[in-house]
Amino acid sequence: MASATAELNFPVAENLLRGVVFFDAGTVNRELQAGTIRTSVGFGFRLTLPFFGQVPIALDFGFPITKDRQDETRFFSFSLGLGQ
């Protein structure tokens, strides 16, 4: 498995709401070949609510650039915390 992410994170509403734009790439194949790497781009938001402490709620929207016809496609992701 190999993966890489580039993310730009910027404030929208002080420390409460941040925006992100990102690029993801990765593969799970044994051999690293040009046709096996999947890529996507997207945008999202990080909402930090005081009653959750410093744990952000992440809402992301991603769009595939390269994929295999057998891949399942998800356009929306929700997570709690930084380890997505």
Side-chain angles (χ1 to χ4, degrees):
M1 182 178 123
S3 66
T5 299
E7 179 178 289
L8 176 64
N9 188 317
F10 53 91
V12 174
E14 297 184 15
N15 293 332
L16 181 67
L17 182 64
R18 299 187 66 82
V20 296
V21 292
F22 59 86
F23 170 80
D24 293 330
T27 185
V28 292
N29 293 357
R30 292 188 185 270
E31 287 99 30
L32 187 61
Q33 299 173 354
T36 64
I37 298 173
R38 278 34 169 222
T39 58
S40 65
V41 295
F43 67 93
F45 302 97
R46 304 295 178 266
L47 180 62
T48 304
L49 300 174
F51 56 88
F52 281 142
Q54 293 303 309
V55 178
I57 298 171
L59 305 169
D60 292 319
F61 300 87
F63 307 95
I65 298 171
T66 57
K67 67 177 201 160
D68 189 85
R69 67 176 178 261
Q70 297 175 347
D71 291 344
E72 291 182 27
T73 303
R74 291 187 201 168
F75 296 102
F76 177 72
S77 172
F78 166 82
S79 63
L80 218 52
L82 296 173
Q84 302 171 13

Coordinates of all heavy atoms in Angstrom, one line a residue:
M1 N 0.8 -1.2 0.0 CA 0.0 0.0 0.0 C 0.9 1.2 0.0 O 1.9 1.3 0.7 CB -0.9 0.0 1.2 CG -1.8 1.2 1.3 SD -2.9 1.1 2.7 CE -2.5 2.7 3.5
A2 N 0.5 2.2 -0.8 CA 1.2 3.5 -0.8 C 0.2 4.6 -0.9 O -0.8 4.5 -1.7 CB 2.2 3.6 -1.9
S3 N 0.3 5.7 -0.1 CA -0.6 6.8 -0.2 C 0.1 8.1 0.0 O 1.1 8.2 0.7 CB -1.8 6.6 0.7 OG -1.3 6.7 2.1
A4 N -0.4 9.2 -0.5 CA 0.1 10.5 -0.3 C -1.1 11.5 -0.3 O -2.0 11.3 -1.1 CB 1.1 10.9 -1.4
T5 N -0.9 12.6 0.5 CA -2.0 13.6 0.6 C -1.3 15.0 0.6 O -0.3 15.1 1.3 CB -2.8 13.4 1.8 OG1 -3.5 12.2 1.7 CG2 -3.9 14.5 1.9
A6 N -1.8 15.9 -0.1 CA -1.4 17.3 0.0 C -2.7 18.1 0.4 O -3.7 17.9 -0.2 CB -0.8 17.8 -1.3
E7 N -2.6 18.9 1.5 CA -3.8 19.6 1.9 C -3.5 21.0 2.3 O -2.5 21.3 2.9 CB -4.4 18.9 3.2 CG -5.6 19.6 3.8 CD -6.2 18.8 5.0 OE1 -6.7 17.7 4.8 OE2 -6.0 19.3 6.1
L8 N -4.3 22.0 1.8 CA -4.2 23.4 2.2 C -5.3 23.7 3.2 O -6.5 23.4 2.8 CB -4.3 24.3 1.0 CG -4.3 25.8 1.2 CD1 -3.0 26.2 1.8 CD2 -4.5 26.5 -0.1
N9 N -5.0 24.2 4.4 CA -5.9 24.4 5.4 C -6.0 25.9 5.7 O -4.9 26.5 5.9 CB -5.4 23.6 6.6 CG -6.4 23.6 7.8 OD1 -7.0 24.6 8.1 ND2 -6.5 22.4 8.4
F10 N -7.1 26.5 5.8 CA -7.2 28.0 5.9 C -8.4 28.3 6.8 O -9.4 27.6 6.8 CB -7.4 28.7 4.6 CG -8.5 28.1 3.7 CD1 -9.7 28.7 3.8 CD2 -8.2 27.1 2.9 CE1 -10.8 28.2 3.0 CE2 -9.3 26.6 2.1 CZ -10.5 27.1 2.1
P11 N -8.3 29.4 7.6 CA -9.4 29.8 8.5 C -10.6 30.4 7.7 O -10.4 31.1 6.7 CB -8.8 30.9 9.4 CG -7.6 31.4 8.6 CD -7.2 30.3 7.7
V12 N -11.8 30.1 8.1 CA -13.0 30.7 7.6 C -13.7 31.5 8.6 O -14.1 32.7 8.4 CB -14.0 29.6 7.1 CG1 -15.3 30.2 6.6 CG2 -13.4 28.8 6.0
A13 N -13.8 31.0 9.9 CA -14.4 31.7 11.0 C -13.6 31.5 12.2 O -13.9 30.6 13.0 CB -15.8 31.3 11.2
E14 N -12.4 32.3 12.3 CA -11.5 32.2 13.5 C -11.1 30.7 13.7 O -10.8 30.0 12.8 CB -12.1 32.9 14.7 CG -12.3 34.4 14.4 CD -12.8 35.1 15.7 OE1 -12.8 34.5 16.8 OE2 -13.3 36.2 15.5
N15 N -11.2 30.3 15.0 CA -10.8 28.9 15.4 C -12.0 27.9 15.3 O -11.8 26.8 15.5 CB -10.3 28.9 16.8 CG -8.9 29.6 16.9 OD1 -8.2 29.7 15.9 ND2 -8.7 30.2 18.0
L16 N -13.2 28.4 15.0 CA -14.4 27.6 14.9 C -14.5 26.8 13.6 O -14.8 25.6 13.7 CB -15.6 28.4 15.1 CG -16.9 27.7 15.1 CD1 -17.1 26.8 16.4 CD2 -18.1 28.7 15.1
L17 N -14.2 27.4 12.5 CA -14.4 26.8 11.2 C -13.2 27.0 10.3 O -12.8 28.2 10.1 CB -15.7 27.3 10.5 CG -16.1 26.7 9.2 CD1 -16.4 25.2 9.3 CD2 -17.3 27.5 8.6
R18 N -12.7 25.9 9.7 CA -11.6 26.0 8.8 C -12.0 25.3 7.5 O -12.8 24.4 7.5 CB -10.3 25.4 9.4 CG -9.9 26.1 10.6 CD -8.5 25.6 11.1 NE -7.4 25.9 10.2 CZ -6.8 27.0 10.2 NH1 -7.2 28.0 11.0 NH2 -5.8 27.2 9.4
G19 N -11.5 25.8 6.4 CA -11.7 25.2 5.1 C -10.4 24.4 4.7 O -9.3 24.7 5.1
V20 N -10.6 23.4 3.8 CA -9.5 22.6 3.3 C -9.7 22.3 1.8 O -10.9 22.2 1.4 CB -9.2 21.3 4.0 CG1 -8.8 21.5 5.5 CG2 -10.4 20.4 4.0
V21 N -8.7 22.3 1.1 CA -8.7 21.7 -0.3 C -7.6 20.7 -0.3 O -6.5 20.9 0.4 CB -8.5 22.8 -1.4 CG1 -9.7 23.7 -1.5 CG2 -7.2 23.6 -1.2
F22 N -7.7 19.6 -1.0 CA -6.8 18.5 -0.9 C -6.6 17.7 -2.3 O -7.5 17.8 -3.1 CB -7.1 17.5 0.2 CG -8.5 16.9 0.0 CD1 -8.7 15.8 -0.7 CD2 -9.6 17.5 0.6 CE1 -9.9 15.2 -0.9 CE2 -10.9 16.9 0.5 CZ -11.0 15.7 -0.2
F23 N -5.5 17.0 -2.3 CA -5.2 16.1 -3.4 C -4.7 14.8 -2.8 O -3.9 14.8 -1.9 CB -4.1 16.7 -4.3 CG -3.6 15.7 -5.3 CD1 -4.3 15.4 -6.5 CD2 -2.4 15.0 -5.1 CE1 -3.8 14.5 -7.4 CE2 -1.9 14.0 -6.0 CZ -2.7 13.8 -7.2
D24 N -5.3 13.7 -3.1 CA -5.0 12.4 -2.6 C -4.5 11.5 -3.7 O -5.1 11.5 -4.9 CB -6.1 11.7 -1.9 CG -6.6 12.4 -0.6 OD1 -5.7 13.0 0.0 OD2 -7.8 12.3 -0.3
A25 N -3.5 10.6 -3.5 CA -3.1 9.6 -4.4 C -2.7 8.3 -3.7 O -2.3 8.4 -2.5 CB -1.9 10.1 -5.2
G26 N -2.9 7.2 -4.3 CA -2.6 5.9 -3.6 C -2.8 4.7 -4.4 O -3.5 4.8 -5.5
T27 N -2.3 3.6 -3.9 CA -2.5 2.3 -4.6 C -2.4 1.2 -3.5 O -1.8 1.4 -2.5 CB -1.4 2.1 -5.7 OG1 -1.7 0.8 -6.4 CG2 0.0 2.0 -5.2
V28 N -3.0 0.1 -3.8 CA -2.9 -1.1 -2.9 C -2.3 -2.3 -3.7 O -2.3 -3.4 -3.2 CB -4.3 -1.5 -2.3 CG1 -4.7 -0.4 -1.3 CG2 -5.3 -1.7 -3.4
N29 N -1.9 -2.1 -4.9 CA -1.3 -3.2 -5.8 C 0.1 -3.4 -5.3 O 0.8 -2.6 -4.8 CB -1.4 -2.8 -7.2 CG -2.8 -2.7 -7.8 OD1 -3.7 -3.0 -7.0 ND2 -2.9 -2.3 -9.0
R30 N 0.5 -4.7 -5.6 CA 1.9 -5.1 -5.2 C 3.0 -4.4 -6.0 O 4.0 -3.9 -5.5 CB 2.1 -6.6 -5.4 CG 1.3 -7.4 -4.4 CD 1.7 -8.9 -4.4 NE 0.8 -9.6 -3.6 CZ 1.1 -9.9 -2.3 NH1 2.2 -9.4 -1.8 NH2 0.3 -10.7 -1.6
E31 N 2.7 -4.2 -7.3 CA 3.7 -3.5 -8.2 C 3.2 -2.1 -8.4 O 2.0 -1.8 -8.7 CB 3.9 -4.2 -9.5 CG 4.7 -5.5 -9.5 CD 3.8 -6.7 -9.4 OE1 2.7 -6.6 -10.0 OE2 4.1 -7.7 -8.8
L32 N 4.1 -1.1 -8.3 CA 3.7 0.3 -8.5 C 3.9 0.6 -10.0 O 4.9 0.6 -10.5 CB 4.7 1.2 -7.7 CG 4.3 2.7 -7.7 CD1 3.0 2.9 -7.0 CD2 5.4 3.4 -6.9
Q33 N 2.7 0.7 -10.6 CA 2.7 1.0 -12.1 C 1.8 2.2 -12.3 O 0.9 2.5 -11.5 CB 2.1 -0.2 -12.8 CG 2.9 -1.4 -12.7 CD 2.2 -2.6 -13.3 OE1 1.1 -2.5 -13.8 NE2 2.9 -3.7 -13.4
A34 N 2.0 2.9 -13.4 CA 1.3 4.2 -13.7 C -0.2 3.9 -13.7 O -1.0 4.7 -13.2 CB 1.7 4.8 -15.0
G35 N -0.7 2.8 -14.2 CA -2.2 2.6 -14.4 C -2.9 2.2 -13.1 O -4.1 2.0 -13.0
T36 N -2.1 1.9 -12.0 CA -2.7 1.4 -10.8 C -2.9 2.5 -9.7 O -3.5 2.2 -8.7 CB -1.8 0.3 -10.2 OG1 -0.6 0.8 -9.8 CG2 -1.7 -0.9 -11.2
I37 N -2.4 3.6 -9.9 CA -2.5 4.7 -8.9 C -3.8 5.4 -9.1 O -4.2 5.9 -10.2 CB -1.3 5.7 -9.1 CG1 0.0 5.0 -8.8 CG2 -1.5 6.9 -8.1 CD1 1.2 5.8 -9.1
R38 N -4.5 5.5 -8.0 CA -5.8 6.3 -7.9 C -5.5 7.7 -7.4 O -4.8 7.9 -6.5 CB -6.8 5.6 -7.0 CG -7.6 4.4 -7.5 CD -7.0 3.5 -8.4 NE -7.8 2.3 -8.6 CZ -7.3 1.1 -8.6 NH1 -6.0 0.9 -8.6 NH2 -8.1 0.1 -8.7
T39 N -6.2 8.7 -8.0 CA -6.0 10.1 -7.5 C -7.4 10.7 -7.4 O -8.4 10.4 -8.1 CB -5.2 10.9 -8.5 OG1 -5.7 10.9 -9.8 CG2 -3.7 10.3 -8.5
S40 N -7.5 11.7 -6.5 CA -8.7 12.5 -6.3 C -8.4 13.9 -5.8 O -7.3 14.1 -5.3 CB -9.7 11.8 -5.4 OG -9.1 11.8 -4.1
V41 N -9.3 14.8 -6.0 CA -9.2 16.2 -5.5 C -10.5 16.5 -4.7 O -11.5 15.8 -4.9 CB -9.0 17.2 -6.5 CG1 -7.7 17.1 -7.2 CG2 -10.1 17.3 -7.5
G42 N -10.4 17.4 -3.8 CA -11.6 17.7 -3.1 C -11.5 19.0 -2.2 O -10.5 19.6 -2.2
F43 N -12.6 19.2 -1.4 CA -12.6 20.3 -0.5 C -13.4 19.9 0.7 O -14.1 18.8 0.7 CB -13.3 21.5 -1.1 CG -14.7 21.3 -1.4 CD1 -15.7 21.7 -0.5 CD2 -15.1 20.8 -2.6 CE1 -17.0 21.6 -0.8 CE2 -16.5 20.6 -2.9 CZ -17.4 21.0 -2.0
G44 N -13.2 20.6 1.8 CA -14.0 20.2 3.0 C -13.9 21.3 4.1 O -13.4 22.4 3.9
F45 N -14.5 21.0 5.2 CA -14.6 21.9 6.4 C -14.2 21.1 7.6 O -14.4 20.0 7.8 CB -16.0 22.4 6.5 CG -16.5 23.1 5.3 CD1 -17.2 22.5 4.3 CD2 -16.1 24.4 5.0 CE1 -17.7 23.1 3.2 CE2 -16.5 25.1 3.9 CZ -17.3 24.4 2.9
R46 N -13.5 21.9 8.6 CA -13.2 21.4 9.9 C -13.9 22.3 10.9 O -13.6 23.5 11.0 CB -11.7 21.4 10.1 CG -10.9 20.6 9.1 CD -11.2 19.1 9.2 NE -10.4 18.4 8.1 CZ -10.8 18.1 6.9 NH1 -12.0 18.5 6.6 NH2 -10.1 17.5 6.1
L47 N -14.8 21.7 11.6 CA -15.6 22.4 12.6 C -15.2 22.0 14.0 O -15.2 20.8 14.3 CB -17.1 22.1 12.4 CG -18.1 22.8 13.4 CD1 -18.0 24.3 13.2 CD2 -19.5 22.3 13.1
T48 N -14.7 22.9 14.8 CA -14.2 22.6 16.2 C -15.2 23.3 17.1 O -15.3 24.5 17.3 CB -12.8 23.2 16.4 OG1 -11.9 22.6 15.4 CG2 -12.3 22.8 17.8
L49 N -16.0 22.4 17.8 CA -17.0 22.9 18.7 C -16.5 22.9 20.1 O -15.8 21.9 20.5 CB -18.3 22.1 18.6 CG -19.0 22.1 17.2 CD1 -20.1 21.1 17.2 CD2 -19.4 23.5 16.9
P50 N -16.7 23.9 20.9 CA -16.1 23.9 22.3 C -16.4 22.7 23.2 O -15.6 22.3 23.9 CB -16.6 25.2 22.9 CG -17.0 26.1 21.7 CD -17.4 25.1 20.6
F51 N -17.7 22.2 23.1 CA -18.0 21.1 24.0 C -17.4 19.8 23.5 O -17.5 18.8 24.3 CB -19.6 21.0 24.1 CG -20.3 20.8 22.8 CD1 -20.5 19.6 22.3 CD2 -20.8 22.0 22.1 CE1 -21.2 19.4 21.1 CE2 -21.5 21.8 21.0 CZ -21.7 20.6 20.4
F52 N -16.8 19.7 22.4 CA -16.0 18.5 22.0 C -14.5 18.7 22.3 O -13.7 17.8 22.0 CB -16.1 18.2 20.5 CG -17.4 17.6 20.0 CD1 -18.0 17.9 18.9 CD2 -18.0 16.6 20.8 CE1 -19.2 17.3 18.5 CE2 -19.2 16.0 20.4 CZ -19.8 16.4 19.3
G53 N -14.1 19.8 22.9 CA -12.7 20.0 23.1 C -12.0 20.5 21.8 O -12.6 21.3 21.1
Q54 N -10.8 20.0 21.6 CA -10.1 20.4 20.4 C -10.2 19.4 19.3 O -9.4 19.3 18.3 CB -8.6 20.6 20.7 CG -8.4 21.8 21.6 CD -9.0 23.1 20.9 OE1 -8.7 23.4 19.8 NE2 -9.8 23.9 21.7
V55 N -11.2 18.5 19.3 CA -11.5 17.4 18.3 C -12.3 18.0 17.2 O -13.5 18.3 17.4 CB -12.2 16.2 19.0 CG1 -12.4 15.1 17.9 CG2 -11.3 15.7 20.1
P56 N -11.8 18.1 16.0 CA -12.6 18.7 14.9 C -13.5 17.7 14.3 O -13.2 16.5 14.2 CB -11.5 19.1 13.9 CG -10.4 18.2 14.1 CD -10.4 17.9 15.6
I57 N -14.6 18.2 13.8 CA -15.5 17.4 12.9 C -15.2 17.7 11.5 O -15.1 18.9 11.1 CB -17.0 17.8 13.2 CG1 -17.4 17.5 14.7 CG2 -17.9 17.1 12.2 CD1 -18.7 18.1 15.1
A58 N -14.9 16.7 10.7 CA -14.4 16.9 9.3 C -15.5 16.4 8.4 O -16.1 15.3 8.5 CB -13.2 16.0 9.1
L59 N -15.9 17.3 7.4 CA -16.8 17.0 6.3 C -16.0 17.3 5.0 O -15.6 18.4 4.8 CB -18.0 18.0 6.4 CG -18.8 18.0 7.7 CD1 -19.7 19.2 7.8 CD2 -19.5 16.7 8.0
D60 N -15.9 16.2 4.2 CA -15.1 16.3 3.0 C -15.9 15.9 1.8 O -16.7 14.9 1.9 CB -13.8 15.5 3.1 CG -12.8 16.0 4.1 OD1 -12.7 17.3 4.1 OD2 -12.2 15.2 4.8
F61 N -15.6 16.5 0.7 CA -16.2 16.2 -0.6 C -15.1 15.9 -1.6 O -14.3 16.8 -1.8 CB -17.1 17.3 -1.1 CG -18.2 17.6 -0.2 CD1 -18.1 18.5 0.8 CD2 -19.5 17.0 -0.3 CE1 -19.1 18.8 1.7 CE2 -20.5 17.3 0.5 CZ -20.3 18.2 1.6
G62 N -15.0 14.7 -2.1 CA -13.9 14.3 -3.0 C -14.4 13.8 -4.3 O -15.5 13.3 -4.4
F63 N -13.5 14.0 -5.4 CA -13.9 13.7 -6.7 C -12.8 13.0 -7.4 O -11.6 13.5 -7.5 CB -14.3 15.0 -7.5 CG -15.3 15.8 -6.8 CD1 -14.9 16.8 -5.9 CD2 -16.7 15.5 -6.9 CE1 -15.9 17.6 -5.2 CE2 -17.6 16.2 -6.2 CZ -17.2 17.2 -5.4
P64 N -13.0 11.7 -7.9 CA -11.9 11.0 -8.5 C -11.4 11.6 -9.8 O -12.2 12.1 -10.6 CB -12.5 9.6 -8.7 CG -14.0 9.8 -8.8 CD -14.3 11.0 -7.9
I65 N -10.1 11.5 -9.9 CA -9.4 11.9 -11.2 C -9.1 10.7 -12.0 O -9.5 10.5 -13.2 CB -8.2 12.8 -10.9 CG1 -8.5 14.0 -10.2 CG2 -7.4 13.0 -12.3 CD1 -7.3 14.8 -9.7
T66 N -8.4 9.7 -11.3 CA -8.2 8.4 -11.9 C -8.7 7.3 -11.0 O -8.6 7.4 -9.8 CB -6.6 8.2 -12.2 OG1 -6.0 8.3 -10.9 CG2 -6.1 9.2 -13.1
K67 N -9.3 6.3 -11.6 CA -9.9 5.2 -10.9 C -10.0 4.0 -11.8 O -10.0 4.2 -13.0 CB -11.2 5.6 -10.2 CG -12.3 5.8 -11.1 CD -13.6 6.1 -10.3 CE -14.8 5.8 -11.2 NZ -16.0 5.6 -10.4
D68 N -10.2 2.9 -11.2 CA -10.5 1.6 -11.9 C -12.0 1.5 -12.0 O -12.7 1.9 -11.2 CB -9.9 0.5 -11.2 CG -9.9 -0.8 -12.0 OD1 -9.0 -1.1 -12.8 OD2 -10.9 -1.6 -11.8
R69 N -12.5 0.8 -13.1 CA -13.9 0.7 -13.2 C -14.6 -0.2 -12.1 O -15.8 -0.1 -11.9 CB -14.2 0.1 -14.6 CG -13.8 -1.3 -14.8 CD -14.2 -1.8 -16.2 NE -13.7 -3.2 -16.3 CZ -12.6 -3.5 -17.0 NH1 -11.9 -2.6 -17.6 NH2 -12.2 -4.8 -17.1
Q70 N -13.8 -0.9 -11.4 CA -14.3 -1.8 -10.3 C -14.3 -1.0 -9.0 O -14.8 -1.5 -8.0 CB -13.5 -3.0 -10.2 CG -13.6 -3.9 -11.4 CD -12.7 -5.1 -11.3 OE1 -11.8 -5.2 -10.4 NE2 -12.9 -6.1 -12.2
D71 N -13.7 0.2 -8.9 CA -13.7 0.9 -7.7 C -15.0 1.4 -7.2 O -15.8 1.8 -8.1 CB -12.7 2.1 -7.8 CG -11.3 1.8 -8.0 OD1 -10.9 0.6 -7.7 OD2 -10.5 2.6 -8.4
E72 N -15.3 1.4 -5.9 CA -16.5 2.0 -5.4 C -16.1 3.5 -5.2 O -15.1 3.9 -4.7 CB -16.8 1.4 -4.0 CG -17.3 0.0 -4.1 CD -17.7 -0.5 -2.7 OE1 -18.1 0.3 -1.9 OE2 -17.7 -1.7 -2.6
T73 N -17.1 4.4 -5.6 CA -16.8 5.8 -5.5 C -17.7 6.4 -4.4 O -18.9 6.2 -4.4 CB -17.2 6.5 -6.8 OG1 -16.4 5.9 -7.8 CG2 -16.9 8.0 -6.8
R74 N -17.0 7.2 -3.5 CA -17.7 7.9 -2.5 C -17.4 9.4 -2.7 O -16.2 9.7 -2.8 CB -17.3 7.5 -1.1 CG -17.7 6.1 -0.7 CD -17.4 5.9 0.7 NE -17.3 4.5 1.0 CZ -16.8 4.0 2.1 NH1 -16.3 4.7 3.0 NH2 -16.8 2.7 2.2
F75 N -18.4 10.3 -2.7 CA -18.1 11.7 -2.8 C -18.1 12.5 -1.5 O -17.7 13.6 -1.5 CB -19.2 12.3 -3.8 CG -19.1 11.7 -5.2 CD1 -20.0 10.8 -5.6 CD2 -18.1 12.1 -6.0 CE1 -20.0 10.2 -6.8 CE2 -18.1 11.6 -7.3 CZ -19.0 10.7 -7.7
F76 N -18.6 11.8 -0.4 CA -18.7 12.5 0.8 C -18.1 11.7 2.0 O -18.2 10.4 2.0 CB -20.2 12.8 1.2 CG -20.4 13.4 2.5 CD1 -20.1 14.7 2.7 CD2 -20.9 12.7 3.6 CE1 -20.2 15.3 4.0 CE2 -21.1 13.2 4.8 CZ -20.8 14.5 5.0
S77 N -17.4 12.3 2.9 CA -16.8 11.6 4.0 C -17.0 12.5 5.3 O -16.9 13.7 5.2 CB -15.3 11.5 3.7 OG -14.6 11.0 4.9
F78 N -17.3 11.8 6.4 CA -17.5 12.5 7.7 C -16.6 11.7 8.7 O -16.5 10.5 8.7 CB -19.0 12.3 8.1 CG -19.2 12.6 9.5 CD1 -19.3 14.0 9.9 CD2 -19.3 11.6 10.5 CE1 -19.6 14.3 11.3 CE2 -19.5 11.9 11.8 CZ -19.6 13.3 12.2
S79 N -15.9 12.5 9.5 CA -15.0 11.9 10.5 C -14.9 12.8 11.7 O -15.1 14.0 11.6 CB -13.7 11.5 10.0 OG -13.0 12.6 9.5
L80 N -14.5 12.2 12.8 CA -14.3 13.0 14.0 C -12.8 12.8 14.4 O -12.3 11.7 14.5 CB -15.1 12.3 15.2 CG -15.8 13.2 16.2 CD1 -16.6 14.3 15.6 CD2 -16.6 12.3 17.1
G81 N -12.1 13.9 14.5 CA -10.7 13.9 14.9 C -9.8 14.1 13.7 O -10.2 14.2 12.5
L82 N -8.5 14.2 13.9 CA -7.5 14.5 12.8 C -7.1 13.2 12.1 O -6.7 13.3 10.9 CB -6.3 15.2 13.4 CG -6.5 16.5 14.0 CD1 -5.3 17.0 14.7 CD2 -7.0 17.5 13.0
G83 N -7.1 12.1 12.6 CA -6.7 10.8 12.0 C -7.8 10.3 11.0 O -8.6 9.5 11.4
Q84 N -7.8 10.8 9.8 CA -8.9 10.4 8.9 C -8.4 9.3 8.1 O -8.6 8.9 7.1 CB -9.3 11.6 8.0 CG -9.7 12.8 8.8 CD -9.9 14.0 8.0 OE1 -9.9 14.0 6.8 NE2 -10.0 15.1 8.7

